[in-house]
Amino acid sequence: MTIHGVSLDIVQMVLITIVAAATPLMIAALGELVAERAGVLNLGVEGMMVLGAAAGFAVAVETGSTLLGALAGAGAGLALSALFGLLTVVLSANQVASGLAMTILGLGLSGLVGASYVGLKRDPAPHLSVPGLTDLPGLGGLLFGQDGFVYFAFALAAGVWWFLWRTRAGLILRAIGDDHTATHALGLQVRKVRVLAVLFGGACAGLAGAYLSLSYTSFWAPAMTAGRGWIALALVVFASWNPLRAVAGALLFGGATVLQLNAQAAGLGLPGQLLSALPYLATILALVLLSLGRRQGGSLAPAALGRVFTPHR
Amino acid sequence: MVPVVPPVRTEGPTPLFGAYGIVKRFGAFTANDGIDLEIRAGEIHALLGENGAGKSTLMKILYGLLEPTEGVVTHRGDVVRLAHPEAARALGIGMVFQHFSLCENLTVAENIALVMPKGLSGRTLKARIAEVGSTYGLHLDPDRPVWSLSAGERQRIEIIRCLLQNPKLVILDEPTSVLTPGEAELLFTVLERLRDEGRALLYISHRLDEVRRLCARATILRGGRVVWACDPRAETARSLAAMMVGVQVREVKPPSGVATGPERLVLSGLTLPAPGLHGTALDGVSLSVRGGEIVGLAGIAGNGQAELFDALSGETLAPEAGMVRFDGVASGRLGITARRRGGAGFVPEERNGHGAAPTLSLSDNAILSRHATAGLSRFGVLRRAAAKALARDVIAAFDVRKAGPDPAAGTLSGGNLQKYLMGREILAEPGILVVNQPTWGVDALAAAHIRQALLDLASRGAAVLVISQDLDELFEIAGRIAVLHDGTLSSPVPAAETTREALGLRMGGANPAEAAEGPVAGAPDHAREPAHAH
């Protein structure tokens, strides 16, 4: 089946690649979004992601189970974020400095965990296969032939949106991110909610890393996240702390990545380095456009973001 | 904590809530030093004291925000531990905060939902907000974000949030400080009704007339101790104030004679579009303030006060330079610093965040507004010593109480920070001074100090424009009073020739001359109705 000479299957292949590139960004960004909505800026996403990639791959190789690998990846991210939460929320340390330390620590620890797994290769995570549906031309593979991470990422986006705007706990989380002094005065548990939000963000970052080593590439290489944690952080701002926009941003960034890869392969004559920078430039451009359209009054960002809360009693 | 047996010293029935031997120390500082307080059902109990007397600390202990170092709280005679506000709320204690405890980026309904029981649907909550709102005349749009609301509207959220929890004890911290007389009357009706329903109310106010009107018992704190417990109805406002501060409050000297100085501040047809969806447009505001006089601008919050202040200070530029004239100079298009250089001074409504940067020291805050007029920099380099000297002068001249030689502005109590900000501008000897809510949430002594300083400034030839919701204050200091309603300004009338009722009607948008013949004659209640329409 072709339209204007372009096979629908090729379009579908490109779309599948875009979704695959967007999935880790989506998962990590959604986790960070929840943490930032609670008022905690976690710059350690990159470190938690890369540790999740290493731990996830190691456990998957040892047990032969992708699911256990994914859980181990999330657990590794969670463990590192627990340290971050202890430092920033409980001990009121500076969030920026602690987050950067987590990234460096995560990169180092991941090298240690993954040292004996460099060069190993395993089968990628299994993909969904529904007889009759997956084989549908044009759409089947895109809708019904993805692996579990992809479906989870989209379910996560819907779940985070529902949680933040449709539940009482989500309201409390947003309120704490907006003004920790006022919410503390009302008797809400500022620190507890923030720690939980940080843990959720860390688990998501770890899971996003596990996706990279279990599905996206199905091998482990040191520092294989290649800055995706930082992109996820930028996406949260780009999405103005809205989970559905974070999905759109991740897909846009994934699209730009795939586009530049294809452009390099097609030999457009532009320097490869410039093309590699394209997704980042697109993100910066989107950020600028977004801040131009800022609304009057109030603030898009959670007002207490990055501010340390110390109750005295 | 040393266990303390509550002393049996109650007269009559067991109090609903009692606090005995309350001591609260923060490091070396003792905020509460052995306070006893009993609150009975069906009474409005006044808690009086200067800023820093320990009222807020005691309230926070009763609301479970702080735990006392020593002492116990009892409920119907049983010792209770209020470890957190939820425990206090479970016992039926509700709080109306003075410094609103609201999240700016959430809506009215969301802010209220934060403390409501689980499982309450948004629709039910909105219906209950509307119900309480119409019962008590506290109208609010539940879907508006808090950042778009005025101080008066924000307080309505606090009050509704408290009432929705059906409390047995309501703690009110300076509840009328942002209300107009009409709104305050309405609040008193609400409070009297709550009392008659058998609830207890703990009422903190600096307005002693209100306390004498509402409260049957008063506890007066000074320096963290109870210095007096009395029936405020048997006392005068002056005697209560004297007990509070330990010295006689000097009366503000009333303005004398008619100002004949030159026109120093002139607004001619100042018209500005509304700054946002919920802002107020200014429509042809004209006014002239002469040297030597204080003109008061009355009005309910949200009728253009903030917009007018911004247009005067230069935060918003007027469409034409000639619409704002300072000493004859067309200043409508000048920036803030240029206006200050021209001899104008400004004190905005919000102390923290607008008047002062709370995390900066007092001397740094002096630099922020005086850098161009007090020679605080040379070749772009700050002269810290000069800034510190200026801060010291202000602190000495205005009796600013603070901890440490040059503390962060945010660590001062509201009244002391306000005195500092007023002093910062007044010591510059401005020819024109514009002040928005000069004594909001400030205790009686500090308020008298600030008002006297404004009168003295005017008597030295300055033109002073005071925007205030407090009609008592305006009658005390202003020679002429104009009313701002929905962005339009009435022509000012001499304070001696008008009444609270006439001004109240204008604040509600009615013309007293017409109203006197119409069906609303003699009904000051109507003053508050139309103000909520927009």
Side-chain angles (χ1 to χ4, degrees):
Chain A
M1 195 191 293
T2 58
I3 294 171
H4 301 299
V6 180
S7 160
L8 271 184
D9 286 334
I10 290 181
V11 172
Q12 178 177 248
M13 259 174 59
V14 171
L15 288 178
I16 288 176
T17 339
I18 290 175
V19 169
T23 297
L25 300 175
M26 225 189 275
I27 298 176
L30 287 166
E32 174 64 9
L33 189 144
V34 169
E36 292 195 13
R37 274 279 176 190
V40 186
L41 178 67
N42 178 4
L43 293 185
V45 176
E46 175 82 4
M48 294 165 195
M49 212 166 159
V50 76
L51 186 61
F57 189 77
V59 169
V61 166
E62 297 302 332
T63 62
S65 159
T66 304
L67 180 65
L68 286 180
L71 289 176
L78 185 111
L80 195 53
S81 68
L83 178 60
F84 176 75
L86 175 74
L87 287 174
T88 57
V89 182
V90 181
L91 301 175
S92 301
N94 180 293
Q95 294 178 7
V96 171
S98 310
L100 293 174
M102 289 306 119
T103 287
I104 297 164
L105 179 63
L107 282 165
L109 277 180
S110 67
L112 185 70
V113 170
S116 50
Y117 298 91
V118 177
L120 290 184
K121 208 163 161 46
R122 65 184 292 278
D123 290 335
H127 286 236
L128 184 69
S129 179
V130 184
L133 286 177
T134 307
D135 304 328
L136 278 178
L139 279 175
L142 183 64
L143 293 182
F144 303 107
Q146 307 279 7
D147 61 37
F149 289 99
V150 175
Y151 297 113
F152 178 80
F154 282 94
L156 187 68
V160 165
W161 179 86
W162 181 82
F163 170 78
L164 286 177
W165 274 277
R166 288 291 179 271
T167 70
R168 178 188 162 81
L171 170 65
I172 289 175
L173 184 137
R174 284 188 291 131
I176 285 172
D178 192 48
D179 190 334
H180 48 225
T181 317
T183 42
H184 172 70
L186 293 174
L188 302 176
Q189 312 243 345
V190 175
R191 292 176 157 205
K192 185 175 136 195
V193 170
R194 284 195 170 163
V195 166
L196 290 175
V198 165
L199 291 179
F200 176 79
C204 285
L207 185 67
Y211 169 79
L212 289 176
S213 62
L214 296 179
S215 172
Y216 196 65
T217 60
S218 66
F219 61 81
W220 156 256
M224 66 182 296
T225 44
R228 285 187 181 82
W230 299 110
I231 297 293
L233 271 162
L235 279 175
V236 175
V237 183
F238 163 72
S240 53
W241 294 269
N242 179 325
L244 304 186
R245 284 202 212 167
V247 172
L251 289 171
L252 177 79
F253 188 83
T257 311
V258 171
L259 191 72
Q260 65 94 1
L261 283 175
N262 287 343
Q264 285 195 46
L268 279 186
L270 287 168
Q273 290 85 345
L274 186 64
L275 287 169
S276 306
L278 185 69
Y280 304 89
L281 289 173
T283 308
I284 291 172
L285 186 70
L287 282 171
V288 169
L289 290 177
L290 189 84
S291 51
L292 286 179
R294 181 165 297 170
R295 71 171 195 223
Q296 283 221 325
S299 67
L300 279 174
L305 181 61
R307 281 169 50 211
V308 162
F309 172 68
T310 356
H312 62 280
R313 57 178 304 140
Chain B
M1 193 173 97
V2 185
V4 178
V5 180
V8 185
R9 50 179 282 285
T10 55
E11 314 126 27
T14 314
L16 181 63
F17 287 98
Y20 302 99
I22 298 289
V23 175
K24 179 67 186 177
R25 293 193 194 92
F26 298 102
F29 175 66
T30 306
N32 282 181
D33 192 2
I35 290 177
D36 294 336
L37 179 71
E38 290 182 341
I39 306 158
R40 298 201 174 81
E43 76 166 0
I44 306 182
H45 191 120
L47 190 60
L48 295 172
E50 271 194 288
N51 291 327
K55 306 183 303 275
S56 299
T57 304
L58 182 61
M59 278 183 337
K60 284 178 181 166
I61 289 170
L62 286 174
Y63 194 58
L65 278 169
L66 293 174
E67 284 200 83
T69 317
E70 286 170 31
V72 289
V73 177
T74 63
H75 173 236
R76 297 193 193 287
D78 300 326
V79 173
V80 288
R81 182 164 173 255
L82 303 173
H84 44 81
E86 250 168 60
R89 282 200 294 267
L91 286 176
I93 302 177
M95 172 91 122
V96 175
F97 292 91
Q98 179 193 6
H99 298 290
F100 315 124
S101 133
L102 300 170
C103 296
E104 298 234 336
N105 284 307
L106 301 189
T107 66
V108 171
E110 285 176 329
N111 266 289
I112 293 175
L114 283 176
V115 294
M116 297 308 285
K118 286 175 192 163
L120 187 71
S121 82
R123 197 168 303 156
T124 318
L125 179 63
K126 282 179 193 173
R128 290 189 58 194
I129 293 171
E131 183 192 320
V132 171
S134 64
T135 310
Y136 297 110
L138 303 162
H139 298 289
L140 278 174
D141 176 352
D143 294 319
R144 287 260 303 261
V146 170
W147 57 262
S148 71
L149 301 178
S150 69
E153 289 167 313
R154 289 175 193 210
Q155 191 182 44
R156 275 178 231 157
I157 309 176
E158 288 270 337
I159 294 174
I160 288 183
R161 181 159 71 182
C162 183
L163 292 180
L164 278 175
Q165 297 170 63
N166 192 24
K168 280 188 280 185
L169 167 64
V170 182
I171 304 172
L172 299 114
D173 190 3
E174 299 281 338
T176 57
S177 56
V178 291
L179 302 184
T180 60
E183 288 173 317
E185 279 301 319
L186 178 77
L187 176 72
F188 299 155
T189 322
V190 173
L191 298 184
E192 280 162 354
R193 189 155 135 194
L194 293 173
R195 177 195 62 197
D196 296 342
E197 288 165 7
R199 300 176 214 266
L201 295 104
L202 186 60
Y203 190 88
I204 291 102
S205 179
H206 295 303
R207 297 190 183 176
L208 302 167
D209 288 327
E210 288 172 6
V211 168
R212 291 177 54 235
R213 179 191 149 167
L214 280 172
C215 307
R217 290 207 297 145
T219 299
I220 300 177
L221 301 186
R222 196 197 311 152
R225 292 167 181 272
V226 176
V227 292
W228 201 277
C230 61
D231 179 349
R233 293 169 301 187
E235 305 289 334
T236 65
R238 283 182 63 79
S239 67
L240 288 173
M243 278 188 263
M244 249 165 65
V245 301
V247 295
Q248 289 288 321
V249 178
R250 58 186 169 142
E251 289 222 1
V252 171
K253 289 183 221 108
S256 54
V258 180
T260 51
E263 291 188 332
R264 301 198 72 165
L265 165 59
V266 179
L267 297 177
S268 24
L270 175 63
T271 301
L272 275 175
L277 189 56
H278 302 297
T280 306
L282 294 179
D283 184 13
V285 172
S286 295
L287 180 72
S288 149
V289 185
R290 291 179 178 277
E293 75 167 339
I294 297 180
V295 171
L297 285 194
I300 299 163
N303 273 282
Q305 287 94 333
E307 290 80 359
L308 180 59
F309 180 88
D310 288 352
L312 285 167
S313 72
E315 285 175 58
T316 315
L317 295 184
E320 287 166 36
M323 288 179 170
V324 180
R325 285 181 184 275
F326 292 151
D327 282 329
V329 179
S331 306
R333 304 289 301 166
L334 296 180
I336 302 170
T337 303
R339 293 184 197 206
R340 285 187 186 278
R341 285 208 172 101
F346 312 98
V347 183
E349 176 179 12
E350 304 87 7
R351 288 185 278 271
N352 275 315
H354 199 170
T359 55
L360 297 189
S361 67
L362 292 179
S363 61
D364 284 350
N365 272 294
I367 295 172
L368 287 180
S369 87
R370 297 283 303 278
H371 62 95
T373 52
L376 297 182
S377 68
R378 185 177 288 152
F379 309 119
V381 179
L382 291 176
R383 297 173 59 208
R384 295 232 158 248
K388 288 209 164 86
L390 173 61
R392 269 198 304 275
D393 290 348
V394 173
I395 288 163
F398 279 79
D399 185 29
V400 177
R401 316 257 176 94
K402 37 94 189 143
D406 195 12
T411 63
L412 269 65
S413 71
N416 281 307
L417 183 55
Q418 185 71 10
K419 283 196 282 188
Y420 181 79
L421 296 182
M422 295 296 301
R424 181 179 72 181
E425 303 306 321
I426 287 176
L427 286 198
E429 282 301 322
I432 296 142
L433 182 67
V434 183
V435 193
N436 196 1
Q437 315 297 349
T439 59
W440 189 85
V442 168
D443 68 63
L445 195 67
H449 195 127
I450 288 170
R451 289 171 193 158
Q452 188 61 54
L454 288 171
L455 284 166
D456 293 346
L457 180 71
S459 71
R460 294 196 294 271
V464 180
L465 183 63
V466 175
I467 304 171
S468 178
Q469 298 198 50
D470 184 347
L471 281 186
D472 292 332
E473 170 169 271
L474 293 180
F475 274 109
E476 205 173 323
I477 61 174
R480 292 185 297 148
I481 301 178
V483 174
L484 194 59
H485 171 74
D486 204 11
T488 56
L489 189 70
S490 71
S491 61
V493 289
E497 292 168 24
T498 188
T499 60
R500 297 171 59 88
E501 287 69 29
L503 290 177
L505 281 173
R506 275 203 191 279
M507 285 159 75
N511 186 328
E514 293 162 15
E517 292 145 23
V520 295
D525 277 7
H526 286 259
R528 62 178 172 273
E529 277 180 7
H532 310 303
H534 56 269

